[in-house]
């Protein structure tokens, strides 16, 4: 069974930076490898619905970003570490949320559609405040 673990959240001042990590596991010995994943990052702020903020299709490094984070957040991967990162710069109080990593081996049509992802992490809290 694939498991997803996120880490890297914390408290940061406005304008600061954080790097989130997403590590999938439990797929070794299957027909799939790390490079077959599609990874999405989502977040849920208090009182709001969960929203998609970025994704990476690992087979071809295709990426997308929500308008709210474009130019400030960068998704990347380290295949040797089997890790996908979300580098967050220029953080704003409105970025405060629980951040989730999601994954699938399927070819997805809409990266922003949460139902497209099969595996989810527990989330990591990001708080942007003075």
């Amino acid at each position: 069974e694939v498991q997803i673990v996120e880490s890297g959240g914390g408290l940061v001042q406005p304008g600061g930076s954080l790097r989130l990590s997403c590590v999938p596991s439990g797929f070794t010995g299957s027909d799939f490898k790390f490079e077959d994943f599609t990874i999405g990052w989502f977040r849920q702020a208090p009182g709001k619905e969960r929203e998609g903020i970025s994704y990476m299709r690992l087979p071809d490094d295709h990426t997308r970003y929500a308008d709210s984070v474009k130019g400030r957040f960068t998704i990347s991967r380290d295949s040797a570490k089997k890790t996908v990162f979300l580098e967050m710069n220029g953080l704003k109080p409105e970025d405060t949320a629980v951040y989730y990593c999601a994954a699938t081996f399927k070819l997805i049509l809409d990266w922003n559609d949460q139902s497209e992802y099969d595996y989810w992490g527990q989330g990591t809290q990001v708080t942007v405040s003075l």
Side-chain angles (χ1 to χ4, degrees):
E1 178 70 18
V2 174
Q3 295 183 326
I4 305 292
V5 177
E6 310 100 332
S7 62
L11 173 64
V12 63
Q13 293 186 351
S17 299
L18 284 174
R19 188 175 75 164
L20 305 184
S21 299
C22 171
V23 182
S25 64
F27 57 92
T28 54
S30 72
D31 292 334
F32 299 100
K33 55 188 185 297
F34 174 75
E35 291 78 8
D36 293 326
F37 275 113
T38 290
I39 300 289
W41 281 101
F42 294 79
R43 68 184 180 187
Q44 187 166 21
K48 295 187 176 181
E49 293 187 352
R50 190 158 58 184
E51 62 172 348
I53 54 174
S54 185
Y55 112 117
M56 174 180 276
R57 192 168 62 201
L58 269 59
D60 61 0
D61 287 332
H62 184 257
T63 60
R64 283 287 187 270
Y65 298 92
D67 288 342
S68 59
V69 305
K70 203 172 293 184
R72 299 188 298 124
F73 290 12
T74 303
I75 191 169
S76 64
R77 51 103 161 240
D78 184 331
S79 292
K81 296 181 179 179
K82 294 183 172 50
T83 302
V84 173
F85 301 102
L86 185 69
E87 185 78 34
M88 306 186 296
N89 299 311
L91 284 162
K92 306 174 183 180
E94 52 263 44
D95 294 318
T96 294
V98 178
Y99 284 69
Y100 297 91
C101 177
T104 182
F105 289 118
K106 299 192 307 288
L107 178 65
I108 63 175
L109 299 178
D110 180 359
W111 72 272
N112 217 356
D113 183 350
Q114 298 175 45
S115 70
E116 296 263 32
Y117 297 86
D118 297 309
Y119 313 107
W120 289 81
Q122 293 299 307
T124 184
Q125 176 71 47
V126 172
T127 303
V128 185
S129 179
L130 290 171

